[in-house]
Amino acid sequence: MSSSLDFWFDYTCPYAYLGSTQIRAFAARLGRELVYQPILLGGIFKANEQPQKLFESRSPARLAYDAKDMQRWAKIRGVPLVMPPGHPLRSVEALRATLVTKMDPAVIDGFYRAYWVDGREISSREVIAEVVTRAGHDAAKVLAAIETQEIKDDLRARTERGIALGIFGVPTIIVDGELYWGQDRFQQIEGTRLGGTPPASASVKELEVFWDFSSPFAYLGASQVEALARRTGAKVKWTPILLGGLFKSLGAPEVPLSTFPVSKQMWIAKDLERWAKYWGVPYRFPARFPTLSLKALRLYLALPDSHKARYRENVFRVNWFEDKDITDEAVLAECVGDPEVARAAAAKTGSDEVKAELRAQTQRAAELGVFGVPTFMVDGELYWGQDRLELVEDALRS
């Protein structure tokens, strides 16, 4: 295996910017040679038949969440981030200048700062000249070189290589032949764990978890909630919702995964396996997907509170590891663990009260801005994804 760590990037992605601020220290911790790999993100999107402006295909709830998510990560990383007017701006000339200057880190940092801090047009000759001059390069030579066919072909070839490797977005990190997408995968690659002791403050925060048995990421996230609560002293509120009903109310596809490019679907499958290994939980993708969870969710709501935690953990496990059918009443009864309690709860699952409760919780989630699971809420703020537990823990400790 190569001893390098390849960082594939374009300047137009805020998460690539955030990743760039950490990547040199990260490569050093791993003892790897950092290799910068500039590519044209528009070319990646075109090859994968994705919109050139991804935000135009996202719901208002998702857009609002993304804006907060960027700022939360910027705070965690300790860097400024300002969305430039007119984003996304053209980056091809800046990428070519990066190639001309042999991927000089000072040039890369300069272009990222110009775009994500100063909000400037990095395709302009004036900005390019400023960035490369500040990094110690001859601006006139760089500006002349970016127009040569050699440099144009180099950027095109790198982009095509990225496509062939299965890259569908940036930042992408490739280490030991493994592809990781996102600046939020450092922890996963490095194998470090979240940790710490409960805060000394007497105040206890509530952590509300929106979940459905149908999501593998909800399964993985749910497996870490109790440990997170112990570390932070949080009080957990478990709120089941019907994910299919949520998607329908938002006008989203019933199975979003099916709408993704094949390269992204393959990465997600690998990412699930990596997270399961990272969290130390058993996982196997089930033969029945998408999972029909309505019956299992109604039974959960019909159970006494004293039986809900065990049942929830068991249903998640039998669906996402043992590959059992959670529409089977016998399977669900086994998950309850007490035949009498299971029968009494099963008799209530068709009641108007239970049906109304699940509908109400799903509707409330939509009104709060939830658009997927798992979603965690702390102090009225939403955090989507089991890969945002670092941000959740920071919020619980703040």
Side-chain angles (χ1 to χ4, degrees):
M1 289 291 184
S2 170
S3 61
S4 68
L5 183 153
D6 291 3
F7 183 73
W8 297 77
F9 70 97
D10 188 346
Y11 294 117
T12 59
C13 175
Y15 292 106
Y17 158 60
L18 292 169
S20 75
T21 67
Q22 309 296 310
I23 196 64
R24 288 196 284 276
F26 179 64
R29 289 199 303 272
L30 294 183
R32 300 300 182 107
E33 176 192 2
L34 174 60
V35 178
Y36 286 104
Q37 300 282 8
I39 54 175
L40 193 58
L41 187 57
I44 297 292
F45 286 165
K46 183 178 181 180
N48 286 290
E49 299 181 343
Q50 294 175 273
Q52 290 295 313
K53 297 181 179 180
L54 284 180
F55 58 85
E56 292 182 347
S57 64
R58 291 176 173 170
S59 68
R62 173 68 187 274
L63 290 174
Y65 172 82
D66 285 347
K68 287 186 177 180
D69 189 58
M70 294 173 198
Q71 294 303 326
R72 288 167 180 161
W73 280 115
K75 179 182 177 183
I76 288 284
R77 303 301 188 204
V79 297
L81 189 156
V82 180
M83 182 64 68
H87 171 77
L89 305 175
R90 183 178 172 88
S91 63
V92 61
E93 289 82 6
L95 291 168
R96 291 176 187 165
T98 303
L99 293 173
V100 173
T101 56
K102 307 298 183 185
M103 277 67 75
D104 183 347
V107 170
I108 293 171
D109 291 347
F111 280 127
Y112 269 126
R113 181 172 184 83
Y115 195 110
W116 290 107
V117 179
D118 302 329
R120 303 184 68 187
E121 292 270 3
I122 60 173
S123 61
S124 76
R125 295 177 68 84
E126 176 187 359
V127 173
I128 293 172
E130 287 183 19
V131 169
V132 301
T133 299
R134 193 175 296 117
H137 299 273
D138 187 318
K141 290 183 179 179
V142 172
L143 288 170
I146 65 175
E147 300 300 333
T148 64
Q149 195 61 45
E150 178 185 3
I151 292 299
K152 293 178 180 179
D153 289 344
D154 189 1
L155 181 58
R156 187 178 300 110
R158 289 171 184 270
T159 303
E160 290 173 352
R161 178 167 172 251
I163 294 167
L165 288 170
I167 293 174
F168 53 85
V170 295
T172 289
I173 296 170
I174 297 182
V175 56
D176 291 340
E178 293 291 319
L179 184 152
Y180 300 84
W181 173 54
Q183 62 87 35
D184 51 5
R185 292 304 188 267
F186 293 155
Q187 173 188 333
Q188 187 191 70
I189 299 170
E190 206 167 5
T192 55
R193 290 286 188 273
L194 301 177
T197 57
S201 172
S203 63
V204 175
K205 292 193 176 186
E206 182 179 82
L207 169 62
E208 186 168 7
V209 185
F210 296 91
W211 57 278
D212 185 345
F213 292 122
S214 65
S215 166
F217 289 109
Y219 161 59
L220 294 172
S223 73
Q224 302 304 304
V225 167
E226 295 303 332
L228 175 62
R230 288 193 296 271
R231 291 198 302 272
T232 60
K235 179 182 178 181
V236 182
K237 178 182 179 181
W238 294 91
T239 303
I241 64 174
L242 185 62
L243 189 57
L246 178 69
F247 288 159
K248 184 177 181 180
S249 70
L250 297 174
E254 184 177 354
V255 186
L257 179 65
S258 66
T259 68
F260 297 160
V262 173
S263 56
K264 187 172 183 178
Q265 292 184 34
M266 294 174 63
W267 176 82
I268 288 174
K270 187 72 174 180
D271 194 50
L272 283 165
E273 294 174 358
R274 288 170 177 159
W275 278 118
K277 181 179 179 181
Y278 178 81
W279 294 128
V281 297
Y283 165 78
R284 181 173 59 189
F285 200 82
R288 287 165 292 275
F289 185 82
T291 302
L292 302 177
S293 61
L294 179 61
K295 186 181 295 184
L297 290 168
R298 287 179 177 171
L299 184 56
Y300 176 86
L301 292 173
L303 284 170
D305 288 345
S306 58
H307 287 70
K308 285 183 175 179
R310 178 181 178 182
Y311 171 79
R312 183 182 60 245
E313 293 169 3
N314 286 343
V315 175
F316 267 130
R317 187 190 69 254
V318 300
N319 184 54
W320 291 107
F321 175 58
E322 298 177 12
D323 198 12
K324 292 183 179 179
D325 185 0
I326 64 170
T327 66
D328 187 325
E329 293 180 3
V331 171
L332 295 180
E334 288 180 6
C335 291
V336 174
D338 185 317
E340 290 187 11
V341 173
R343 280 194 295 270
K348 299 177 183 178
T349 57
S351 69
D352 291 340
E353 180 182 0
V354 168
K355 292 178 180 179
E357 184 177 359
L358 184 57
R359 283 196 301 270
Q361 292 186 168
T362 303
Q363 181 179 348
R364 173 174 169 264
E367 291 171 351
L368 287 170
V370 174
F371 52 86
V373 295
T375 290
F376 308 93
M377 187 164 72
V378 181
D379 294 334
E381 294 290 322
L382 301 179
Y383 301 82
W384 171 56
Q386 59 89 37
D387 55 0
R388 291 304 188 264
L389 287 175
E390 180 180 352
L391 298 181
V392 175
E393 182 154 352
D394 182 66
L396 289 171
R397 292 180 179 279
S398 64

